[in-house]
Amino acid sequence: MAYSPNVAATHRRAASYIDKILKGVSPSDLPVEEATTFDFAINLNTAMSLGLTIPNDVLIQATQLIQ
């Protein structure tokens, strides 16, 4: 299992920062933002090979299932 910030959303936020900097805003004036979108991935192959059973409640919450 992996729980991490959504990479695509992070890149979109970075693009808006770059746009502001290119328009003349000082980088020190820009606020630090935390990720707001996260991905929860479960590798079912690895779970099966380890003999683990993932509950359905957890599988429903996953944004990506690797089979």
Side-chain angles (χ1 to χ4, degrees):
M1 288 188 235
Y3 187 68
S4 64
N6 182 290
V7 176
T10 303
H11 288 158
R12 282 191 293 275
R13 292 300 311 147
S16 69
Y17 269 70
I18 292 169
D19 180 54
K20 290 176 185 177
I21 292 169
L22 291 175
K23 289 182 179 177
V25 177
S26 173
S28 63
D29 293 337
L30 294 173
V32 175
E33 294 184 10
E34 294 182 9
T36 57
T37 310
F38 291 86
D39 288 329
F40 179 42
I42 299 174
N43 189 326
L44 296 174
N45 286 335
T46 302
M48 268 182 43
S49 67
L50 293 173
L52 300 175
T53 303
I54 310 294
N56 285 335
D57 293 342
V58 176
L59 291 174
I60 291 170
Q61 295 176 14
T63 56
Q64 182 182 12
L65 294 174
I66 301 167
Q67 295 188 7

